[in-house]
Amino acid sequence: MPSTTPGQRYSSKATEPAVNSSTQRIRDTKYRHVFATHSQTRPSCLSADAEKAPSFVGFRNLMILVLIVSNLRLMIENFRKYGVLICIRCHGYTKQDLLYGAALYLLVPIHLFVAYIIEWLAAQQAKGAVARMKKACEDHDKPEMQALARRSFNSTWRVVAFFHGINATFNLIIATSVVYYNIHHPGIGTLCELHAVIVWLKTCSYAFTNRDLRHALLHPNQSQPLPEIYASCPYPRNINFNNLCYFWWAPTLVYQPVYPRTTHIRWGFVFRRVVEVIGLSIVIWIASAQYAAPLLQNSLDKISILDFVSIVERVMKLSTISLFCWLCGFFALFQSFLNALAEVMKFGDREFYGEWWNVSSIRTYWTTWNKPVTNFMRRHVYSPLVGRGFPPALAQVIVFVISGLLHELLVGVPTHNVIGVAFAGMMFQIPLIALTDALQKLKGIRGKVAGNMIFWISFCLVGQPLAALLYFFAWHAKYGSVSKQFQQSPAMHFFHRR
Amino acid sequence: MPSTTPGQRYSSKATEPAVNSSTQRIRDTKYRHVFATHSQTRPSCLSADAEKAPSFVGFRNLMILVLIVSNLRLMIENFRKYGVLICIRCHGYTKQDLLYGAALYLLVPIHLFVAYIIEWLAAQQAKGAVARMKKACEDHDKPEMQALARRSFNSTWRVVAFFHGINATFNLIIATSVVYYNIHHPGIGTLCELHAVIVWLKTCSYAFTNRDLRHALLHPNQSQPLPEIYASCPYPRNINFNNLCYFWWAPTLVYQPVYPRTTHIRWGFVFRRVVEVIGLSIVIWIASAQYAAPLLQNSLDKISILDFVSIVERVMKLSTISLFCWLCGFFALFQSFLNALAEVMKFGDREFYGEWWNVSSIRTYWTTWNKPVTNFMRRHVYSPLVGRGFPPALAQVIVFVISGLLHELLVGVPTHNVIGVAFAGMMFQIPLIALTDALQKLKGIRGKVAGNMIFWISFCLVGQPLAALLYFFAWHAKYGSVSKQFQQSPAMHFFHRR
């Protein structure tokens, strides 16, 4: 038996064998069959007692490859089963859909201009009040001046708020009812509803911001300083047609008299972003038509007989495609489209999203994936509520309720099935936020990874495909083949209420 | 229109808005609807002009989840299609297989002891020669002494080499013919053949190493110093039964008189490794029986009619399972089993593998994934060839030819189909090495990633599943249902030569 080497376990003092010696060195060595391959004690690199943790970067590459290969295989399977399902001329829209859609596209922005007129009148009134205040100031009648300002502001605000409310509400009601009753095609309907909601949010922001600017003008002594960036265009100079038109097209939902701007338009940048939008739209269309559509179609009977294992299997299969479409759609809209628009508008602040894919808390997800809406909610809902003394947690719940209503409007109305799944999905975020917040506090890096996994599972792997399945089923329950085939199914009793 | 901010595009000097302010700060601020959400020009984090590259660690988590979900879905699909295929009593081996397997297990090591006897006799002869040399040295007859040593060494080596050759060759021939003709079950056959090859390699290493040690003893003046670690057990003291038995069980194929050793056995460590081996073996067995078997089975007819698209689809589906089994098997054998064995043997050098999963060159893969064989080939084939003047590239090709022959022996013989696929697979590594070596030189980090991808694709995603499919088909062509059904198929003409 060979004797043991003295000293500790795994002493690294032993000399390294000449394993990597050059060819010349091998040729010089006389005894080639005797060199000491094993000259030191050392652990395996995957063992817990290894000196440094091994790198697993190769497995990242492997995961990418396995994902590509498995999905290529599913594409072959899909093609052999269904052939080519993509068809350029097979659209589901009617002439009426297009006409109503075009009409809404042209008419909805009018509400923004109505808001402008309201604000213009309020600005005139404020100008008069300022003149009267100046006069009172010259007369050294300070209490009279303050009372004048308060009265002038409050009475005007009541009138202004009333007309703004009517205007904004009519925007939503008209667009929603036209989409629900007159536009059958869910794609066109979604675009119209989305446009109406965006204009509605812009109108609200325009009204709220100008209210506070007017308040600052009429209460020059009470007021805290306004942001420096607004100094170049003070109220009421910002109430002009060009300023409104800039806000109309700017890629933001938050009104500011002045925005940070870039100095010139890089047309090459715009061109690349537009190509991205077109390319990704085609990719999403192919993925939906060729892969998602047959999958949704052949899951209809599974849902109608409430075969839960099959529903789970369908949701799992659908999750990859819906995730793919979601990621492509996110990039196309938030990176490519909004950046192209911002470039053309010389809009400087391009923070349309944060690194939401790394979030470890669902709360952070909702504040980073869609910055335009987050900014709106923070400035016009959350901060004012907290400022008025609401507990922050309640203010957050209110934000989620509003967000849930808007989501239901955007999904339920164009699909003609206000079944509340989108709203319920938003409400379900609240306990998830509590869960991931608790996880964050509990552990270190593992808590972060667990939080991120919960986000992906709840949102992209379960939430979205399940919601897509339910709205698709509801659509077919109302219009499609299902309602004829499965009139007596248990699921039908739930969905088929019309 | 608001005026543009002066200065450069994306100047980061502008002040940060108080977006993340605390609740108290929000309550103190009077004008809540006017704070400047957009106060600076900044690019989107995914844009090329972003200040720092975004982190994508969340997508790594997503990939893991998608892989789990897609494979869980395939498991549901598999279960609904086939039910439970795992069956403890359904084995394919006969009593004869077990008897021959046990006989081989007991008899194969005898060849190592025959090698010991040969070396013992050679050592006795060398001792006599040393004594005669000492006498010549005392007579101050130096030329006579050197001639004596040369003659003594060369004549003995010819005899010793002849007997070692006979012994080692008989080992391989006997084991291979028994496995090929008498052991039907491929699993038992593979274990027996693997055992025989390991003992064959150990016998070769024992013979070669002791040859050089004897040479060093008989040429004390010509010789370069032997490794320091051998000093505690110089030749011929190492030719003893205990030393041989240690080498027989040590987790290495390279003979050294002395190995680095640990001081004690950690039985807890051994226990955990054994549990890993058992657990992973069960996992591999379930994966093969439930997932790989039906997949291989229903690809038989696709191969026999040479439906290439279907074969590609089957290889793609098989690749995930074969990759999974390969990774589990690698860990079970090289990490768990060899570490357990090394711990019991107090064998210090646990470098049984390197970080092969990160390799960017196929060459590095073959020198890191299986260190015991690499060490053998380097010490007993590559270095001696290069030392004798062979160009390194040719020496490498010879190593791959020997390795290819051993692979064919290990796969072709137990499956009773020496069809040369394993050998061809090894030979195909040579152009792949040239390709990845060229890639490495061309580019920086991208070359590394591309090399790693080529490794995974060629080896784990195409090579292994394709080879498994071909040997499985050849097996069924010889014994199974295929030969009856598809006697006239084109693939059959290739495989069915018996």
Side-chain angles (χ1 to χ4, degrees):
Chain A
M1 291 276 282
S3 66
T4 56
T5 50
Q8 288 174 287
R9 279 188 77 88
Y10 303 137
S11 68
S12 52
K13 282 177 202 162
T15 51
E16 187 67 33
V19 168
N20 292 315
S21 58
S22 68
T23 310
Q24 192 54 48
R25 205 154 145 212
I26 291 173
R27 282 183 182 160
D28 289 347
T29 314
K30 178 98 191 154
Y31 301 115
R32 289 160 210 116
H33 294 294
V34 292
F35 69 72
T37 302
H38 306 290
S39 64
Q40 58 177 327
T41 53
R42 51 188 170 183
S44 302
C45 69
L46 291 176
S47 289
D49 48 1
E51 269 164 38
K52 64 184 180 82
S55 152
F56 291 113
V57 70
F59 284 113
R60 184 205 58 190
N61 298 336
L62 177 63
M63 284 200 293
I64 295 171
L65 284 175
V66 170
L67 279 175
I68 293 172
V69 168
S70 354
N71 287 295
L72 271 182
R73 189 190 76 78
L74 289 176
M75 282 162 78
I76 294 179
E77 210 175 73
N78 168 287
F79 181 78
R80 292 168 78 91
K81 213 165 167 182
Y82 303 112
V84 176
L85 294 177
I86 296 152
C87 160
I88 297 171
R89 295 197 179 174
C90 318
H91 56 74
Y93 58 81
T94 60
K95 208 174 173 183
Q96 180 190 326
D97 290 350
L98 281 183
L99 283 174
Y100 275 99
L104 276 184
Y105 182 73
L106 294 171
L107 297 176
V108 160
I110 287 175
H111 293 278
L112 205 52
F113 293 96
V114 172
Y116 166 64
I117 292 165
I118 296 168
E119 282 303 323
W120 188 82
L121 292 170
Q124 299 312 315
Q125 203 275 342
K127 277 181 199 165
V130 167
R132 280 194 300 282
M133 277 160 66
K134 246 184 200 152
K135 196 170 164 290
C137 188
E138 279 160 9
D139 301 347
H140 300 286
D141 191 354
K142 209 170 176 191
E144 165 63 16
M145 190 188 96
Q146 282 177 358
L148 201 72
R150 197 171 52 247
R151 237 184 305 133
S152 164
F153 177 80
N154 286 342
S155 63
T156 315
W157 172 238
R158 257 177 246 120
V159 178
V160 166
F162 175 77
F163 282 109
H164 273 311
I166 298 255
N167 177 44
T169 309
F170 263 84
N171 173 11
L172 272 198
I173 288 176
I174 294 170
T176 301
S177 57
V178 169
V179 169
Y180 193 82
Y181 292 110
N182 301 93
I183 299 180
H184 180 75
H185 192 266
I188 297 172
T190 304
L191 284 179
C192 291
E193 192 67 26
L194 183 65
H195 182 221
V197 167
I198 289 170
V199 170
W200 182 72
L201 292 171
K202 287 196 185 222
T203 309
C204 293
S205 183
Y206 192 71
F208 284 131
T209 309
N210 282 315
R211 172 199 179 278
D212 273 9
L213 289 172
R214 195 162 53 248
H215 188 274
L217 178 79
L218 294 172
H219 303 73
N221 301 324
Q222 289 175 35
S223 64
Q224 287 180 327
L226 289 173
E228 270 178 46
I229 193 175
Y230 299 175
S232 61
C233 183
Y235 187 85
R237 253 176 54 202
N238 68 312
I239 306 297
N240 71 67
F241 190 72
N242 280 345
N243 187 294
L244 178 86
C245 286
Y246 186 82
F247 176 54
W248 176 21
W249 284 99
T252 179
L253 300 172
V254 164
Y255 175 69
Q256 290 182 197
V258 183
Y259 292 99
R261 303 285 296 273
T262 58
T263 50
H264 59 279
I265 301 172
R266 297 168 296 175
W267 286 106
F269 179 91
V270 176
F271 177 75
R272 285 194 297 279
R273 297 295 87 76
V274 170
V275 169
E276 281 169 9
V277 171
I278 295 169
L280 285 170
S281 303
I282 293 171
V283 164
I284 293 171
W285 170 57
I286 291 175
S288 319
Q290 183 73 40
Y291 303 102
L295 196 53
L296 287 165
Q297 202 68 48
N298 62 32
S299 60
L300 288 178
D301 52 344
K302 305 294 195 313
I303 300 182
S304 62
I305 57 167
L306 291 179
D307 174 354
F308 282 109
V309 178
S310 293
I311 294 173
V312 168
E313 190 268 342
R314 292 287 94 179
V315 167
M316 280 171 143
K317 187 159 189 180
L318 196 58
S319 68
T320 314
I321 300 164
S322 80
L323 182 66
F324 176 80
C325 291
W326 158 252
L327 292 177
C328 289
F330 169 81
F331 194 91
L333 184 58
F334 283 83
Q335 168 66 11
S336 307
F337 175 74
L338 288 186
N339 261 296
L341 182 60
E343 190 69 27
V344 170
M345 297 301 287
K346 295 191 198 167
F347 187 83
D349 186 2
R350 310 286 169 88
E351 211 195 49
F352 305 119
Y353 55 88
E355 295 181 12
W356 56 264
W357 46 89
N358 299 331
V359 297
S360 47
S361 131
I362 307 266
R363 177 199 305 281
T364 323
Y365 170 72
W366 287 106
T367 55
T368 49
W369 89 271
N370 185 337
K371 285 267 184 186
V373 168
T374 303
N375 290 337
F376 179 91
M377 291 294 180
R378 181 175 277 142
R379 194 161 93 158
H380 299 302
V381 182
Y382 180 80
S383 296
L385 284 177
V386 173
R388 267 163 190 73
F390 280 62
L394 180 60
Q396 279 174 18
V397 170
I398 291 172
V399 167
F400 271 95
V401 170
I402 296 173
S403 179
L405 291 172
L406 291 179
H407 273 86
E408 188 64 42
L409 218 56
L410 285 172
V411 181
V413 170
T415 55
H416 311 280
N417 277 291
V418 189
I419 54 177
V421 170
F423 180 76
M426 282 304 291
M427 290 304 100
F428 186 62
Q429 301 306 309
I430 296 165
L432 276 179
I433 287 175
L435 174 66
T436 51
D437 278 4
L439 258 176
Q440 296 266 77
K441 278 170 204 157
L442 271 175
K443 305 179 226 165
I445 183 75
R446 284 197 184 173
K448 277 196 191 306
V449 172
N452 189 249
M453 295 268 187
I454 289 173
F455 154 65
W456 284 117
I457 293 172
S458 67
F459 186 62
C460 289
L461 296 182
V462 179
Q464 284 198 344
L466 193 63
L469 212 57
L470 290 176
Y471 279 101
F472 186 83
F473 184 79
W475 172 274
H476 277 268
K478 192 166 176 182
Y479 301 108
S481 48
V482 184
S483 54
K484 287 146 210 155
Q485 286 173 32
F486 304 97
Q487 289 289 2
Q488 298 310 312
S489 86
M492 210 43 86
H493 281 288
F494 177 72
F495 285 112
H496 199 86
R497 299 158 306 178
R498 292 158 199 94
Chain B
M1 290 275 280
S3 66
T4 56
T5 51
Q8 287 174 286
R9 279 188 79 88
Y10 304 136
S11 68
S12 52
K13 281 177 204 162
T15 50
E16 187 66 33
V19 167
N20 292 316
S21 57
S22 67
T23 310
Q24 193 52 47
R25 207 155 144 211
I26 292 173
R27 282 184 183 161
D28 289 348
T29 314
K30 178 97 191 153
Y31 301 114
R32 288 159 211 116
H33 295 294
V34 293
F35 68 73
T37 302
H38 306 290
S39 64
Q40 58 179 327
T41 55
R42 51 187 168 182
S44 303
C45 69
L46 290 176
S47 289
D49 48 1
E51 269 163 38
K52 64 182 179 83
S55 153
F56 290 113
V57 70
F59 284 114
R60 185 205 56 188
N61 299 336
L62 177 63
M63 285 200 293
I64 294 171
L65 283 175
V66 170
L67 279 175
I68 292 172
V69 167
S70 349
N71 286 295
L72 270 181
R73 189 190 75 79
L74 290 177
M75 282 162 79
I76 294 178
E77 211 176 72
N78 168 286
F79 181 77
R80 292 168 78 91
K81 215 165 165 181
Y82 303 112
V84 177
L85 295 177
I86 295 153
C87 160
I88 295 171
R89 294 198 180 175
C90 318
H91 56 74
Y93 57 82
T94 59
K95 207 174 174 183
Q96 183 190 324
D97 290 350
L98 282 184
L99 283 175
Y100 275 99
L104 276 184
Y105 181 73
L106 294 172
L107 296 176
V108 161
I110 286 176
H111 293 278
L112 205 53
F113 292 97
V114 172
Y116 167 64
I117 292 166
I118 296 169
E119 282 302 323
W120 188 82
L121 292 171
Q124 299 311 316
Q125 203 276 339
K127 276 181 201 167
V130 167
R132 280 195 299 282
M133 277 161 68
K134 246 184 200 155
K135 197 168 166 291
C137 189
E138 279 161 9
D139 301 347
H140 300 286
D141 192 356
K142 209 171 175 190
E144 166 62 16
M145 189 188 95
Q146 282 178 356
L148 202 72
R150 198 171 52 246
R151 238 184 303 135
S152 164
F153 177 79
N154 286 343
S155 62
T156 314
W157 172 237
R158 256 176 248 123
V159 179
V160 166
F162 174 76
F163 283 109
H164 272 313
I166 298 255
N167 177 44
T169 310
F170 263 85
N171 173 11
L172 272 199
I173 290 177
I174 293 169
T176 301
S177 57
V178 168
V179 169
Y180 194 82
Y181 293 110
N182 301 92
I183 299 180
H184 181 74
H185 192 268
I188 296 172
T190 305
L191 284 179
C192 291
E193 194 67 27
L194 184 65
H195 182 222
V197 167
I198 289 169
V199 170
W200 184 72
L201 291 171
K202 287 199 184 219
T203 309
C204 293
S205 183
Y206 192 70
F208 285 131
T209 309
N210 281 315
R211 173 199 177 278
D212 273 10
L213 289 173
R214 196 160 53 245
H215 189 274
L217 179 77
L218 295 173
H219 304 72
N221 301 323
Q222 289 174 35
S223 64
Q224 288 180 327
L226 289 173
E228 269 177 50
I229 193 174
Y230 298 176
S232 62
C233 184
Y235 188 86
R237 253 177 52 202
N238 68 311
I239 306 297
N240 71 66
F241 191 71
N242 280 347
N243 185 294
L244 178 86
C245 286
Y246 186 81
F247 176 54
W248 176 22
W249 283 98
T252 178
L253 300 172
V254 165
Y255 176 69
Q256 289 182 198
V258 183
Y259 293 99
R261 303 285 296 273
T262 58
T263 50
H264 59 279
I265 302 172
R266 296 169 295 176
W267 287 107
F269 180 91
V270 175
F271 176 75
R272 286 194 297 278
R273 298 297 86 76
V274 169
V275 168
E276 280 170 9
V277 171
I278 295 169
L280 286 169
S281 304
I282 293 171
V283 165
I284 294 171
W285 169 58
I286 291 174
S288 320
Q290 183 72 40
Y291 302 101
L295 197 51
L296 287 165
Q297 201 68 46
N298 63 30
S299 60
L300 288 177
D301 52 344
K302 306 293 195 312
I303 301 182
S304 61
I305 57 168
L306 291 178
D307 176 353
F308 282 110
V309 178
S310 291
I311 294 174
V312 167
E313 191 266 342
R314 291 288 94 179
V315 167
M316 280 170 143
K317 188 159 188 181
L318 196 58
S319 67
T320 314
I321 299 163
S322 79
L323 181 66
F324 176 79
C325 290
W326 158 252
L327 292 177
C328 289
F330 168 81
F331 195 91
L333 185 57
F334 283 84
Q335 169 66 11
S336 306
F337 176 73
L338 288 186
N339 262 296
L341 183 59
E343 190 69 25
V344 169
M345 297 299 288
K346 295 190 196 166
F347 188 84
D349 186 2
R350 310 286 169 88
E351 209 196 50
F352 305 119
Y353 55 88
E355 294 181 13
W356 57 263
W357 46 89
N358 298 331
V359 297
S360 47
S361 131
I362 306 267
R363 179 200 303 282
T364 324
Y365 169 71
W366 287 107
T367 56
T368 48
W369 88 271
N370 184 338
K371 286 265 184 187
V373 168
T374 303
N375 290 337
F376 179 92
M377 292 293 181
R378 182 175 275 140
R379 194 161 96 157
H380 298 303
V381 182
Y382 180 80
S383 295
L385 285 176
V386 173
R388 267 163 190 75
F390 279 64
L394 181 61
Q396 278 173 19
V397 170
I398 291 172
V399 166
F400 269 95
V401 170
I402 295 173
S403 178
L405 291 173
L406 291 179
H407 274 85
E408 188 64 42
L409 218 56
L410 285 172
V411 182
V413 170
T415 56
H416 312 280
N417 277 290
V418 189
I419 53 177
V421 169
F423 180 76
M426 282 304 290
M427 291 303 100
F428 187 61
Q429 301 306 309
I430 296 166
L432 276 179
I433 286 175
L435 173 67
T436 49
D437 278 4
L439 257 178
Q440 295 266 77
K441 278 169 202 154
L442 273 175
K443 306 177 225 164
I445 183 76
R446 283 197 183 174
K448 278 197 192 304
V449 172
N452 189 249
M453 294 269 189
I454 290 174
F455 153 66
W456 284 117
I457 293 173
S458 67
F459 186 62
C460 288
L461 297 182
V462 178
Q464 284 197 344
L466 193 62
L469 213 55
L470 290 176
Y471 279 100
F472 186 83
F473 184 78
W475 172 275
H476 276 269
K478 194 167 175 181
Y479 301 109
S481 47
V482 184
S483 54
K484 286 146 210 155
Q485 287 173 33
F486 303 98
Q487 288 290 1
Q488 298 309 313
S489 87
M492 212 41 88
H493 282 288
F494 177 71
F495 283 110
H496 199 85
R497 298 158 306 178
R498 290 158 200 93

